[in-house]
Amino acid sequence: MLRKRRNTIIFLIGLIVLVYFLFLKMTDSHNQSDLSVELEKRLSELKVEVVASDEALAKLEAQVVSLEKGEQLPEAVDDNKPIVISGNRVTKEQKAYDLATFSSSGQVCSLSEAPQPKTDVQMYNVIDSISFDDVDGGVWKQGYPIKVQDSQWTPEKPLKVFLIPHSHDDPGWLKTFDGYYSAQVKNILDNMVLKLRQHERMKFIYAEISFFSTWWKSATEEQKESVKRYISEGRFELVTGGWVMPDEAAAHYWAMLDQLIEGHSWIRDNLGPNVVPRSGWSIDPFGHSSTMPYILRQSGLRNMLVQRIHYSVKKYLSINKFLEFNWRQTWDSVGSTDILCHMMPFYSYDVPHTCGPDPKICCQFDFQRLPGSRLNCPWRKAPQPITDANVHERAATLLDQYRKKSSLYKSNVVLIPLGDDFRYDTPGEWDKQYTNYDKLFTYMNGKSEWNVKAQFATLSDYFNELRKESGDPELSGASLAGFPTLSGDFFTYADRADHYWSGYFTSRPFYKHWDRHLESTLRSSEIIFSLAQAKAHHNHINTFQSKELYEKLTYARRSLGLFQHHDGITGTAKTVVVADYSERMLRGWKSAHEVIKESAQLLLSDSSAVEQEVFDVDWLKDVEDVLETRRLISLSSGQRKELVIYNSSPHQRQEVVRVWVSRVPISVYDVTLQAVECQVSPYFDTETVVSNNKFKLSFLAKVPALGMVTYSLEASETNPCTIATVTYYNHRDSVANDGVFNPTVDTGDKLTIHNDQLEVELSTSSGMLLSMTDRKSNEQHPLEMSFIKYKSSKAKDHAGGAYLFIPTGSSQSVLQSRPLMRVIKGNLFHEVHTMTSLVEHTVRIVNTPGPESLGLEVVNIDTITSQDDTDFGMQLSSAVKDPESSDAVFYTDLNGFTMYKRKKQEKIQLQGNVYPMTSMMYVENDSTRLSVLAAQSAGVISLSPGNLQVILDRRLNQDDNRGLGQPVTDNKRTESRFYILFEKKTPSKHKDKVIGYPSLTSAILYQHLISPLITLHVKSGKTPQSQFIPLTTSFPCELNLLNMRSSHDSVSTEVKAESLLLVHHQATDCSLPSKGLTCSTNNGKVDIESLFKDLKVKSLERRTLTDLEVHSDSSSRSLDIQPMNIAAYKLTFE
């Protein structure tokens, strides 16, 4: 019935247009004008009916699908509460939203309700069991004496030595990316081509595709052919294949995966489809997350290597011969996520710490340190050139180290890296390393009684031999029988004594915030570009500049990817390098905006013509080291301007949109020309001076999944937006009326703000939060918020810096007595601004029918340039405690991918109890969970039950002696955003579990936090179409669309009509009911063929995550993703 009515309306529209053109030919200009007015009026009315029909149809179709699956429909929301008129001013009351609540079941709950899968090594238990003493182990200072017997090796089972030459090249640290490339990296790769030709037994591995791709652009055809030949011969290997070697603490899993896709895509496009990385190489990230092995395994890699692990953990694993293990995800009960991992046992990846336990001996076999070289051995025992006279003694000495290192592992195959930072940049080093090791190996291999076979090797050479020796001769899988299974992560890293690398979790927070902003913008641009390209292909639109836009996308991808480097997002590079990263990200951000504008323009066009640019993006930023700001919408009286709101989420969203306008009164209308809920709040020129030509306008927008909707603003007194009330606390001066807000002053000791779900109480003495109350159950949750600081140690060789957090004692409160407070209250939100000398602190609750109304938004803008040697933080003290335990137990995420249980260890110094938080943390008991969702990464700690601390910013006036060579004093005005959420829960079935899961509500809320709606300003006139609805139904709640990533033909550079669809099935904790969601669950399934409204799917193929290979399960025409898994599909449109 609805569809028939819609078709009738469209027919009438066409008829009216035809009549209009006939009258133009038959009438004079006066009658034409009258007719135009009447026809435009009728057309507007009919368009409203079409839109209403579309919305009703989409809603009915979604409900039918849900009912067919036996799912309960969300309760309807009453939008008919009347507007109350008071005098000549609209004072709309807050709507009372009855948020739909439902409990999930099925697959989405399967992991949270299951017992903890068993593994041989569970790192949570290992941390509990280790004493963390720092006993002098002799030559292996952090280990123990190693003794071996010659009889351990036989002619049938000889020691197999694999020497792996490598150069670790940071894409930015002490020099910029370009600085390193021109000074050293180009020479390294030029020499590699030359020297592998001259030294036929020499081999080499390389990791950083960002550098390698730069070199490739200027390489000669002869050099390129040589590289391809070396790869085919197994003499040169690209390990991991990522754009960078990413950090694993502060980086979000989206960006970690994206930089790997970018690297693998470059390999496929330039080296061919047969070059597929199989082994991961991660020697320098400062601690290791379980996220990276998952991503690598699902991208087709079978092996990986790690290095920077706490020395006590390495000692424990080496004693038990667990240094090689099948790394398994914490939720995995069957081993489908296993990847074979090798852990290097000693202090560093440099030559002195890789041949064996004694660095003074190993240093003598780094032949780049021969007398007269730029390097030397700090143990004052220099290397010697290998001659016939000394080869026996030198070979025996080196073999002893190899044997001792081998004894730490289960097999007779030993891995010996030969390299360091920016090594092999001169031809002489290649010659010295090769000729001396070649003599040593020739001698060793000729001594049959020594039972040794030594050779130059690549990383995959080592793993292939290890697998053959251990019963996997076909190299058939990733897991290796006979080796232990291990689950968990390797944080927090310490390299010696109590020097924990937990400072970098927060260092340079301005850039960590900036990273997330670019990440969100890039993701949004990828998705909308893929949809636009599909439309252009389907409709044969040749005017869409897809090649140019794809180049902009590529630049944005690579600028974000470069920053994921373990000296980028970590905040551990020189000031000039950090600024260079940020400049690149700014250009990438602007490039992504261009993609969004052009793509939106095509998708909202009603013909094949793409006219001149019609959009501006709301966000503005022209200088890399300042926070983003907004574009001001200038309106004259009676003028109307349009905004387009874009939702990159796969779920429909209804939430508050904010813009800045030049005048009031103002009204907001939706596509049906109905007035929408809106609120005008003040823009403050100073702490207490309200602007008279800039106002903050907020309105409630409803946007379909992956879609766009137009809203119009009108400077008019008809249906004006609510003017918020403004109240000052602790204001000592007189307040002038401004004619709009007319602020008042209050002197109470406490104040409250509320919406229909929550009431929040704050102290006017401290300006800080005291409690949150659930207004539906009337349950009050005490929650005291405060700001704290730690003073950093400045002692020689024990100082805090960019890497290290070394406090001198407990935290100190930095609360300011009776700070100025501004309370803003309106129909859409209430907020409080607390103004202190160090931070502008805002708490906000919104009144919407979505999950945002269930939590408290917290925004801090800090400036700590006056605080030397300080770690500045936010503290939350709650009553959410387990009455049966005195342990401070809490959960933090790993890269936004999994949640992992933590416990404050009294045997470890405070800095060792700090963990990275990329997206969220929580504490809970049997009845309540308190979650903190974060829009940026930071270091966090729980010092006592129910207590949470987030380190917001750091200023260190000295270096911490880890190579950076500078203090961290380039602090900026920095924003951090959080949501605080209390949720009711039922007792957990398995309290011994070390993995946690967010509630479905908090998972959706977090997605909204990091992927906000994007506002486009229409420059003039109207958009041809008022909305874009690409999907027939939203994705199920549990599925998050990570990306729709376009690709191009590497030869023609034409953009393909296909996308890599990346989807994550977020497992959730079903002991917490879901609330405020418009989507429903469907066990991770989506019917792709009926998903798109105006596009037809040609094919769907399951792929590995980086799209290099077909996945083993590639036959289905629909999505069917198991909980916690990320799946990649090549989606081709007709």
Side-chain angles (χ1 to χ4, degrees):
M1 183 73 179
L2 277 170
R3 200 176 299 279
K4 185 175 180 181
R5 172 180 170 80
R6 181 184 187 277
N7 292 337
T8 302
I9 294 167
I10 292 173
F11 171 75
L12 288 173
I13 291 173
L15 187 61
I16 289 171
V17 172
L18 178 62
V19 170
Y20 176 55
F21 280 112
L22 289 173
F23 268 86
L24 287 179
K25 291 182 176 293
M26 299 169 59
T27 59
D28 58 29
S29 60
H30 178 74
N31 288 332
Q32 286 177 7
S33 177
D34 291 342
L35 179 63
S36 295
V37 171
E38 290 299 318
L39 289 176
E40 282 193 18
K41 180 179 179 182
R42 183 56 184 146
L43 279 171
S44 295
E45 292 171 352
L46 288 170
K47 283 183 177 180
V48 168
E49 293 190 46
V50 170
V51 168
S53 298
D54 280 346
E55 289 183 343
L57 278 169
K59 188 172 182 179
L60 279 174
E61 287 171 350
Q63 289 177 345
V64 168
V65 170
S66 296
L67 287 170
E68 286 176 345
K69 296 168 183 171
E71 295 170 351
Q72 182 179 353
L73 296 178
E75 296 177 18
V77 176
D78 180 10
D79 286 329
N80 298 316
K81 187 164 183 180
I83 296 174
V84 180
I85 306 295
S86 175
N88 62 356
R89 178 178 172 191
V90 178
T91 58
K92 296 179 184 176
E93 295 179 351
Q94 287 191 348
K95 282 191 175 182
Y97 293 110
D98 186 15
L99 271 60
T101 302
F102 67 92
S103 296
S104 301
S105 61
Q107 273 194 359
V108 72
C109 303
S110 61
L111 294 181
S112 66
E113 294 174 351
Q116 177 65 47
K118 301 298 183 183
T119 53
D120 298 313
V121 183
Q122 170 48 253
M123 288 309 301
Y124 181 85
N125 299 331
V126 169
I127 298 301
D128 236 7
S129 66
I130 295 177
S131 62
F132 288 95
D133 50 4
D134 188 14
V135 178
D136 190 331
V139 295
W140 179 16
K141 298 287 290 183
Q142 297 169 334
Y144 48 87
I146 301 173
K147 294 182 179 180
V148 294
Q149 300 292 327
D150 292 349
S151 58
Q152 290 179 235
W153 296 275
T154 67
E156 296 74 26
K157 198 90 171 170
L159 176 64
K160 296 184 178 182
V161 178
F162 286 76
L163 185 76
I164 303 175
H166 71 97
S167 180
H168 176 63
D169 297 347
D170 293 301
W173 181 37
L174 308 180
K175 299 177 184 176
T176 64
F177 177 90
D178 291 336
Y180 273 135
Y181 178 77
S182 60
Q184 291 169 284
V185 174
K186 186 178 186 305
N187 295 333
I188 293 167
L189 295 174
D190 283 343
N191 289 326
M192 179 268 294
V193 173
L194 175 65
K195 294 301 177 179
L196 290 187
R197 183 185 307 129
Q198 293 177 0
H199 306 310
E200 293 185 353
R201 287 189 291 274
M202 186 70 162
K203 295 190 177 185
F204 196 66
I205 65 170
Y206 200 77
E208 293 80 12
I209 301 300
S210 53
F211 274 140
F212 194 78
S213 63
T214 302
W215 174 81
W216 190 264
K217 285 188 291 188
S218 62
T220 66
E221 287 305 313
E222 182 182 3
Q223 287 176 315
K224 292 178 181 179
E225 289 304 314
S226 294
V227 166
K228 292 177 181 178
R229 185 174 69 257
Y230 298 151
I231 291 174
S232 66
E233 294 171 349
R235 298 178 57 215
F236 175 62
E237 181 182 11
L238 290 170
V239 287
T240 307
W243 201 245
V244 296
M245 186 183 293
D247 167 60
E248 299 182 27
H252 193 274
Y253 79 96
W254 190 96
M256 294 168 71
L257 174 56
D258 198 66
Q259 65 80 32
L260 188 65
I261 295 173
E262 190 62 24
H264 283 195
S265 298
W266 186 92
I267 291 172
R268 178 193 60 217
D269 291 347
N270 292 274
L271 300 175
N274 295 326
V275 181
V276 180
R278 294 301 184 198
S279 300
W281 177 260
S282 188
I283 61 175
D284 203 23
F286 323 132
H288 293 279
S289 164
S290 58
T291 306
M292 200 63 194
Y294 177 82
I295 290 174
L296 295 179
R297 179 69 193 96
Q298 303 307 310
S299 299
L301 282 79
R302 294 192 289 257
N303 321 293
M304 64 180 298
L305 176 148
V306 295
Q307 155 57 24
R308 289 194 184 268
I309 314 287
H310 194 296
Y311 58 88
S312 291
V313 172
K314 285 190 173 188
K315 182 178 179 179
Y316 170 87
L317 295 177
S318 65
I319 289 172
N320 292 280
K321 290 197 174 185
F322 288 163
L323 287 170
E324 287 179 325
F325 49 87
N326 296 303
W327 200 343
R328 181 174 296 178
Q329 294 303 304
T330 317
W331 73 82
D332 181 5
S333 60
V334 297
S336 63
T337 62
D338 286 9
I339 185 170
L340 179 62
C341 182
H342 173 100
M343 183 184 294
M344 297 168 63
F346 306 125
Y347 174 78
S348 175
Y349 55 81
D350 62 5
V351 180
H353 296 93
T354 51
C355 89
D358 192 340
K360 71 177 180 298
I361 291 177
C362 292
C363 193
Q364 297 170 44
F365 293 91
D366 183 356
F367 296 103
Q368 178 61 359
R369 301 175 192 252
L370 284 167
S373 300
R374 56 189 171 97
L375 299 175
N376 56 48
C377 286
W379 295 271
R380 298 180 182 178
K381 186 78 171 176
Q384 308 169 33
I386 304 302
T387 66
D388 291 344
N390 67 11
V391 67
H392 179 83
E393 181 274 329
R394 291 284 78 196
T397 299
L398 181 59
L399 179 58
D400 179 62
Q401 291 297 304
Y402 288 168
R403 287 172 170 173
K404 287 175 177 175
K405 182 175 184 178
S406 174
S407 71
L408 304 179
Y409 296 88
K410 286 180 175 291
S411 80
N412 62 318
V413 187
V414 64
L415 185 156
I416 310 294
L418 182 69
D420 202 347
D421 292 358
F422 299 97
R423 298 296 288 271
Y424 300 95
D425 61 342
T426 65
E429 179 172 4
W430 286 87
D431 294 336
K432 285 183 283 189
Q433 302 287 25
Y434 176 77
T435 55
N436 285 288
Y437 271 103
D438 191 49
K439 291 175 183 177
L440 288 166
F441 289 172
T442 299
Y443 188 84
M444 284 183 190
N445 295 340
K447 298 285 286 184
S448 59
E449 67 273 22
W450 283 6
N451 297 318
V452 60
K453 293 181 179 179
Q455 65 181 72
F456 294 100
T458 64
L459 185 59
S460 288
D461 285 340
Y462 168 77
F463 279 116
N464 289 346
E465 189 62 30
L466 176 65
R467 288 177 175 279
K468 290 175 183 177
E469 288 287 335
S470 304
D472 183 19
E474 302 300 321
L475 312 178
S476 56
S479 181
L480 186 56
F483 287 78
T485 53
L486 179 148
S487 65
D489 69 330
F490 296 104
F491 290 113
T492 293
Y493 168 58
D495 59 350
R496 59 177 182 263
D498 60 351
H499 292 196
Y500 283 87
W501 295 45
S502 50
Y504 82 92
F505 299 160
T506 297
S507 292
R508 267 65 174 264
F510 174 89
Y511 298 99
K512 288 176 167 66
H513 158 86
W514 185 209
D515 165 81
R516 290 294 191 279
H517 207 93
L518 173 57
E519 185 178 312
S520 168
T521 306
L522 174 58
R523 175 187 170 275
S524 298
S525 66
E526 295 271 18
I527 293 170
I528 198 170
F529 176 78
S530 291
L531 294 171
Q533 173 62 12
K535 177 180 177 179
H537 174 77
H538 181 75
N539 295 340
H540 306 289
I541 300 174
N542 299 321
T543 52
F544 185 55
Q545 302 297 311
S546 58
K547 290 174 69 172
E548 290 78 2
L549 295 176
Y550 187 81
E551 289 178 2
K552 293 179 184 293
L553 265 183
T554 300
Y555 185 86
R557 291 169 177 173
R558 293 179 177 182
S559 61
L560 178 69
L562 189 67
F563 192 61
Q564 304 316 302
H565 165 56
H566 55 265
D567 282 308
I569 192 172
T570 54
T572 55
K574 290 281 191 185
T575 300
V576 65
V577 177
V578 173
D580 181 66
Y581 286 135
S582 188
E583 288 283 1
R584 291 171 184 267
M585 289 196 291
L586 179 58
R587 292 194 294 273
W589 187 65
K590 290 183 175 182
S591 294
H593 280 176
E594 292 298 317
V595 173
I596 291 171
K597 292 189 297 183
E598 294 291 329
S599 300
Q601 188 168 315
L602 175 69
L603 293 171
L604 291 172
S605 66
D606 54 7
S607 70
S608 62
V610 179
E611 301 174 359
Q612 70 274 14
E613 186 176 293
V614 297
F615 293 123
D616 282 322
V617 179
D618 187 55
W619 285 110
L620 286 173
K621 182 181 172 89
D622 292 318
V623 182
E624 63 84 12
D625 62 350
V626 298
L627 289 172
E628 310 82 33
T629 186
R630 295 184 185 275
R631 197 178 298 274
L632 180 67
I633 303 172
S634 296
L635 292 158
S636 56
S637 179
Q639 185 180 8
R640 179 175 287 213
K641 287 195 174 181
E642 287 191 343
L643 301 174
V644 171
I645 313 301
Y646 163 44
N647 171 23
S648 66
S649 166
H651 312 116
Q652 177 183 281
R653 292 165 70 168
Q654 190 169 5
E655 58 192 72
V656 174
V657 170
R658 297 176 176 86
V659 293
W660 293 352
V661 295
S662 64
R663 64 182 297 143
V664 292
I666 193 166
S667 310
V668 183
Y669 298 92
D670 63 17
V671 293
T672 68
L673 305 182
Q674 298 297 307
V676 301
E677 287 283 305
C678 53
Q679 172 180 329
V680 175
S681 306
Y683 180 93
F684 289 91
D685 288 331
T686 68
E687 286 190 350
T688 57
V689 175
V690 175
S691 174
N692 61 9
N693 57 15
K694 186 184 291 187
F695 304 88
K696 295 181 178 181
L697 170 66
S698 305
F699 61 91
L700 188 59
K702 184 177 181 180
V703 195
L706 306 187
M708 292 179 281
V709 173
T710 300
Y711 286 84
S712 55
L713 315 182
E714 184 175 357
S716 168
E717 294 185 5
T718 304
N719 298 316
C721 299
T722 299
I723 302 297
T725 64
V726 180
T727 305
Y728 295 126
Y729 287 80
N730 304 324
H731 188 3
R732 296 163 183 80
D733 301 320
S734 59
V735 177
N737 288 338
D738 66 330
V740 178
F741 300 100
N742 301 325
T744 60
V745 176
D746 204 330
T747 57
D749 291 332
K750 296 179 180 179
L751 66 88
T752 60
I753 57 175
H754 70 272
N755 61 16
D756 194 49
Q757 309 296 323
L758 289 174
E759 181 173 275
V760 176
E761 184 179 48
L762 296 97
S763 164
T764 60
S765 175
S766 65
M768 304 304 291
L769 177 68
L770 293 175
S771 68
M772 295 170 61
T773 300
D774 184 332
R775 296 183 72 189
K776 299 299 183 182
S777 66
N778 207 33
E779 183 177 3
Q780 185 183 57
H781 300 287
L783 185 64
E784 294 187 8
M785 183 182 289
S786 60
F787 290 108
I788 57 168
K789 67 178 180 181
Y790 289 94
K791 296 307 292 182
S792 178
S793 170
K794 298 186 288 185
K796 185 178 180 181
D797 201 34
H798 197 255
Y803 301 92
L804 306 184
F805 172 46
I806 305 183
T808 57
S810 301
S811 63
Q812 308 166 27
S813 173
V814 290
L815 288 179
Q816 185 173 317
S817 178
R818 298 209 167 273
L820 173 68
M821 301 177 72
R822 307 185 303 223
V823 182
I824 317 296
K825 292 186 176 182
N827 58 315
L828 281 184
F829 64 86
H830 291 184
E831 67 182 18
V832 179
H833 310 161
T834 299
M835 316 298 291
T836 76
S837 59
L838 297 181
V839 62
E840 179 182 331
H841 171 64
T842 299
V843 295
R844 179 185 300 121
I845 50 176
V846 300
N847 195 52
T848 71
E852 284 79 9
S853 65
L854 299 170
L856 177 69
E857 185 179 4
V858 177
V859 182
N860 299 314
I861 300 179
D862 72 76
T863 308
I864 65 165
T865 51
S866 63
Q867 303 294 303
D868 290 344
D869 296 308
T870 295
D871 288 79
F872 177 72
M874 177 178 72
Q875 178 171 263
L876 299 172
S877 298
S878 78
V880 182
K881 306 171 184 178
D882 184 350
E884 298 178 2
S885 173
S886 60
D887 292 331
V889 174
F890 60 114
Y891 292 78
T892 65
D893 73 294
L894 290 165
N895 314 106
F897 185 55
T898 54
M899 302 295 298
Y900 197 65
K901 189 176 183 179
R902 311 293 189 185
K903 181 174 72 174
K904 182 177 183 292
Q905 298 286 347
E906 297 297 336
K907 59 192 173 186
I908 298 177
Q909 293 84 354
L910 186 150
Q911 58 265 33
N913 282 289
V914 178
Y915 291 95
M917 172 183 69
T918 313
S919 65
M920 69 176 72
M921 66 187 301
Y922 65 78
V923 291
E924 65 180 10
N925 55 27
D926 282 347
S927 61
T928 306
R929 176 181 291 184
L930 166 61
S931 299
V932 178
L933 315 183
Q936 60 292 306
S937 55
V940 296
I941 185 173
S942 177
L943 295 175
S944 59
N947 171 278
L948 298 172
Q949 292 183 359
V950 182
I951 307 301
L952 299 175
D953 207 344
R954 313 182 70 227
R955 184 175 178 86
L956 295 313
N957 292 67
Q958 61 282 313
D959 181 51
D960 53 14
N961 198 31
R962 290 304 183 277
L964 179 58
Q966 72 158 70
V968 180
T969 54
D970 53 348
N971 301 82
K972 310 289 189 295
R973 188 168 180 264
T974 299
E975 179 183 286
S976 54
R977 295 181 64 227
F978 306 90
Y979 262 103
I980 298 174
L981 187 67
F982 280 99
E983 296 174 281
K984 290 183 179 179
K985 69 182 296 290
T986 56
S988 301
K989 295 179 180 179
H990 306 283
K991 292 190 176 182
D992 61 335
K993 292 180 72 167
V994 300
I995 187 171
Y997 299 95
S999 68
L1000 191 54
T1001 299
S1002 64
I1004 295 290
L1005 186 56
Y1006 174 69
Q1007 291 172 21
H1008 292 187
L1009 179 64
I1010 63 169
S1011 296
L1013 298 173
I1014 291 179
T1015 302
L1016 301 173
H1017 298 214
V1018 180
K1019 289 186 175 182
S1020 62
K1022 292 186 174 183
T1023 58
Q1025 294 185 15
S1026 58
Q1027 61 182 1
F1028 169 65
I1029 306 175
L1031 304 184
T1032 58
T1033 184
S1034 291
F1035 273 44
C1037 293
E1038 71 273 18
L1039 293 186
N1040 180 23
L1041 176 61
L1042 299 183
N1043 212 342
M1044 283 182 69
R1045 203 177 196 271
S1046 296
S1047 60
H1048 72 164
D1049 186 280
S1050 59
V1051 178
S1052 69
T1053 71
E1054 294 292 337
V1055 181
K1056 300 177 183 178
E1058 64 184 32
S1059 298
L1060 187 66
L1061 193 71
L1062 290 154
V1063 183
H1064 180 204
H1065 184 162
Q1066 174 66 68
T1068 56
D1069 189 337
C1070 297
S1071 69
L1072 299 95
S1074 303
K1075 197 171 183 181
L1077 306 181
T1078 57
C1079 53
S1080 58
T1081 59
N1082 191 34
N1083 292 324
K1085 295 181 174 63
V1086 175
D1087 181 6
I1088 285 291
E1089 291 195 344
S1090 63
L1091 179 64
F1092 294 94
K1093 188 176 177 185
D1094 297 317
L1095 295 170
K1096 189 170 182 181
V1097 174
K1098 182 179 180 181
S1099 64
L1100 181 72
E1101 182 181 58
R1102 182 83 180 264
R1103 306 284 292 180
T1104 54
L1105 291 188
T1106 57
D1107 195 25
L1108 289 191
E1109 297 177 295
V1110 176
H1111 192 275
S1112 56
D1113 177 20
S1114 61
S1115 59
S1116 177
R1117 295 279 290 184
S1118 63
L1119 309 189
D1120 186 358
I1121 307 170
Q1122 297 300 305
M1124 283 308 299
N1125 278 290
I1126 304 171
Y1129 297 85
K1130 182 173 286 185
L1131 176 65
T1132 306
F1133 294 104
E1134 291 189 355

